[in-house]
């Protein structure tokens, strides 16, 4: 039963990945009809533009840029996109620059500076096509005056370790950077801007995806200060960042600002689409399937316990659906780092779930990131079943000790529970799957 459920779970997850393919996402929403570029419900007459640029950043940046370049053809003037190192190189007229993630690096800063330079030189008769996907926040580091790359690296690590949500982390990022929180749109004004966005954010909040470089910002410097104080890390934040957040500097551009009058922000793919595809695959395999939510967030180990409880309920009293059952969800949990182990939110989710479903031979839980990278590891996520803990005990492994040490990677690696896809070239957050045979 366990091996059969595992094969089904992997196939269902792969269906989610296929649906999140960034090149297909672009072609679903962007096409060229002669000299007219059609983006969603808007049409752009290409002859009226003197120059057409492609700019952007994110884990899916290379694939998105490739699709856009193919559609634009000879109308493309030039482009520059910050991407993961594995995707760096050149496309036709577009440079793909390596940038660090989740901690920003010097190459990312240099790339962001080049992107800012191109945006700044765009004029009223130019079109700037932006490709934005998950990871863009870290890959588009353009520190505000007085803030250094080292400051940004330090605050990023503090925020990742304290368990802050992506909405909170990106609020801080928008106020210590010149490209985020509408900053790229501000630099490109008065050019026409078309932003093609692959969402990795719960609720598809435009101003949070990639920290909203082309979107009005609803947050303020006061909000940023409040978040840092909420988690008790205000005094650990670099002095230059505390000074910036406390000073009366220019706010990020807000809704109604005229710089957004010629900006179109278009979501081309999201977690919802991936989850829907996974559900379709599960049904085709004979599972009675329920999509629980695409807005899952919270501490990974606590959310995992809820999922384990759902599996137990299905098994015991056949609700909310009768076996063979599949429950699918999407979103992004967080992990509060308490020790020095190795892992990511999806692996910690699987380890915590394993403890609660121990002994249930017909239950399996999978949690994995669509980007192929879970935390600072080479795994996308992990699978646990009712026999995981028994296998661990035979090897002398204490699951609760590994969980306490945030060392889910070591535990699951020893048991063959890791899911390793390599970089997928996309990013629409995480997918969780419960199977009850």
């Amino acid at each position: 039963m366990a091996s059969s459920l595992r094969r089904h779970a992997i196939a269902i997850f792969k269906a989610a990945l296929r649906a999140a393919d960034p090149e297909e996402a672009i072609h679903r929403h962007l096409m060229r009809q002669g000299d007219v570029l059609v983006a969603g419900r808007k049409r752009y007459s290409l002859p009226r533009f003197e120059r057409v640029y492609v700019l952007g950043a994110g884990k899916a940046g290379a694939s998105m840029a490739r699709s856009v370049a193919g559609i634009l053809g000879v109308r493309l003037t030039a482009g520059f996109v910050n991407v993961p190192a594995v995707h760096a190189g050149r496309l036709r007229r577009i440079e793909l620059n390596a940038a660090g993630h989740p901690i920003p690096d010097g190459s990312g800063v240099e790339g962001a500076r080049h992107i800012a330079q191109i945006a700044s030189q765009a004029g009223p008769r130019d079109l700037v096509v932006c490709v934005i996907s998950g990871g863009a926040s870290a890959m588009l580091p353009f520190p505000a005056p007085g803030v250094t790359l080292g400051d940004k690296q330090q605050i990023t690590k503090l925020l990742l370790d304290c368990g802050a949500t992506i909405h909170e982390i990106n609020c801080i990022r928008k106020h210590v950077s010149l490209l985020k929180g509408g900053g790229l749109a501000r630099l490109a004004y008065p050019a026409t801007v078309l932003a093609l966005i692959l969402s990795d954010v719960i609720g598809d909040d435009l101003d949070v995806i990639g920290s909203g470089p082309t979107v009005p910002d609803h947050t303020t410097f006061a909000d940023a200060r409040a978040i840092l104080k909420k988690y008790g890390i205000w005094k650990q934040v670099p002095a230059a960042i505390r000074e910036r957040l406390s000073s009366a500097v220019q706010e990020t551009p807000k809704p109604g600002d005229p710089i957004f009058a010629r900006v179109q922000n278009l979501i081309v793919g999201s977690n919802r689409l991936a989850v829907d595809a996974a559900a379709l695959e599960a049904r085709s395999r004979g599972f009675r399937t329920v999509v629980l939510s695409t807005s899952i967030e919270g501490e990974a180990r606590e959310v995992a316990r809820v999922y384990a409880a759902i599996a137990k309920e299905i098994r015991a009293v056949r609700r909310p659906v009768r076996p063979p059952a599949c429950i699918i969800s999407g979103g992004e949990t967080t992990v509060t780092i308490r020790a020095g182990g190795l892992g990511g939110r999806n692996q910690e989710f699987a380890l915590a779930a394993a403890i609660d479903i121990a002994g249930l031979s017909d239950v399996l839980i999978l949690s994995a990131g669509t980007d192929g990278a879970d935390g600072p590891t080479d795994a996308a996520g992990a699978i646990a079943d009712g026999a995981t803990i028994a296998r661990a005990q035979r090897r002398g492994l204490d699951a609760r000790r590994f969980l306490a040490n945030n060392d889910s990677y070591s535990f699951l690696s020893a048991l063959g529970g890791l899911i390793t896809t390599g970089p997928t070239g996309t990013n629409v957050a995480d997918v969780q799957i419960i199977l009850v045979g």
Side-chain angles (χ1 to χ4, degrees):
M1 176 66 76
S3 61
S4 174
L5 288 181
R6 183 186 179 96
R7 287 195 298 272
H8 286 307
I10 293 294
I12 293 167
F13 177 61
K14 286 183 176 179
L17 290 183
R18 288 193 297 272
D21 179 82
E23 293 194 43
E24 289 189 14
I26 291 290
H27 284 284
R28 281 194 298 267
H29 293 82
L30 186 73
M31 67 184 69
R32 184 172 168 183
Q33 298 175 345
D35 284 334
V36 176
L37 187 66
V38 182
R41 296 181 179 180
K42 285 201 170 185
R43 300 169 66 86
Y44 298 87
S45 175
L46 291 172
R48 62 181 284 259
F49 297 110
E50 292 180 355
R51 296 172 296 184
V52 180
Y53 299 108
V54 173
L55 305 176
K59 294 180 181 179
S63 297
M64 296 175 77
R66 185 180 301 110
S67 289
V68 174
I71 292 169
L72 288 172
V74 296
R75 291 294 308 172
L76 174 60
T77 304
F80 199 99
V81 181
N82 275 2
V83 300
V86 69
H87 297 140
R90 286 199 64 85
L91 297 174
R92 181 182 180 183
R93 301 181 185 178
I94 301 177
E95 182 172 348
L96 303 176
N97 177 64
H101 181 277
I103 305 298
D105 63 9
S107 179
V109 172
E110 288 306 309
R113 183 173 289 114
H114 196 73
I115 289 168
Q117 181 181 19
I118 295 174
S120 297
Q121 72 184 25
R125 289 183 53 80
D126 295 332
L127 172 64
V128 178
V129 181
C130 298
V131 290
I132 306 296
S133 61
S137 292
M139 294 183 191
L140 204 58
F142 196 43
V147 177
T148 67
L149 172 61
D151 294 334
K152 289 178 69 71
Q153 291 172 330
Q154 186 176 340
I155 195 170
T156 299
K157 189 173 189 311
L158 283 170
L159 289 164
L160 290 173
D161 289 353
C162 76
T165 68
I166 190 63
H167 289 68
E168 292 170 328
I169 293 172
N170 286 359
C171 172
I172 307 297
R173 286 165 160 165
K174 286 186 280 191
H175 291 89
V176 297
S177 170
L178 295 183
L179 284 178
K180 302 177 182 68
L184 182 55
R186 178 184 271 163
L187 289 176
Y189 180 80
T192 297
V193 175
L194 166 61
L196 304 171
I197 301 168
L198 192 69
S199 174
D200 67 332
V201 169
I202 292 172
D204 298 336
D205 295 334
L206 284 170
D207 64 328
V208 180
I209 305 164
S211 296
T214 60
V215 182
D217 181 25
H218 292 82
T219 67
T220 65
F221 282 92
D223 294 329
R225 294 193 301 271
I227 290 166
L228 295 172
K229 291 174 181 177
K230 167 187 171 181
Y231 288 100
I233 59 175
W234 173 255
K235 292 184 179 179
Q236 301 173 52
V237 170
I241 290 180
R242 291 202 307 271
E243 181 178 348
R244 176 171 176 80
L245 297 182
S246 301
S247 62
V249 295
Q250 183 183 26
E251 259 291 1
T252 49
K254 304 302 179 196
D257 192 306
I259 68 168
F260 298 111
R262 302 178 70 183
V263 175
Q264 179 189 5
N265 290 295
L266 180 63
I267 291 180
V268 298
S270 69
N271 186 260
R272 287 190 179 97
L273 184 64
V275 166
D276 287 345
L280 187 64
E281 178 69 19
R283 292 187 184 104
S284 76
R285 290 173 172 268
F287 290 94
R288 297 182 180 91
T289 303
V290 173
V291 173
L292 186 64
S293 174
T294 53
S295 302
I296 300 300
E297 56 185 339
E299 190 72 22
R301 64 180 66 185
E302 300 302 328
V303 178
R305 298 202 67 188
V306 174
Y307 278 60
I310 293 172
K312 291 177 181 178
E313 188 77 3
I314 293 171
R315 192 171 183 271
V317 296
R318 301 188 167 204
R319 64 185 182 197
V321 63
R322 291 184 295 113
C326 177
I327 305 293
I328 303 176
S329 67
E332 189 168 288
T333 60
T334 54
V335 172
T336 301
I337 303 298
R338 300 176 176 87
L342 181 64
R345 59 183 179 266
N346 291 292
Q347 293 160 70
E348 183 146 320
F349 186 106
L351 172 53
I355 295 170
D356 275 21
I357 63 173
L360 304 182
S361 60
D362 53 355
V363 173
L364 177 146
I365 294 180
L366 174 153
S367 184
T370 54
D371 59 356
D374 186 32
T377 76
D378 59 358
I383 288 178
D385 59 42
T388 297
I389 298 303
R391 292 197 300 271
Q393 290 171 343
R394 288 195 294 270
R395 290 170 173 259
L397 303 176
D398 184 343
R400 294 185 185 277
R401 181 174 63 82
F402 278 89
L403 183 60
N405 291 334
N406 297 118
D407 199 14
S408 53
Y409 182 90
S410 300
F411 180 87
L412 293 159
S413 178
L415 298 169
L418 296 178
I419 298 172
T420 305
T421 63
T424 62
T426 190
N427 186 16
V428 292
D430 303 334
V431 175
Q432 298 87 25
I433 300 167
I434 302 172
L435 294 183
V436 181

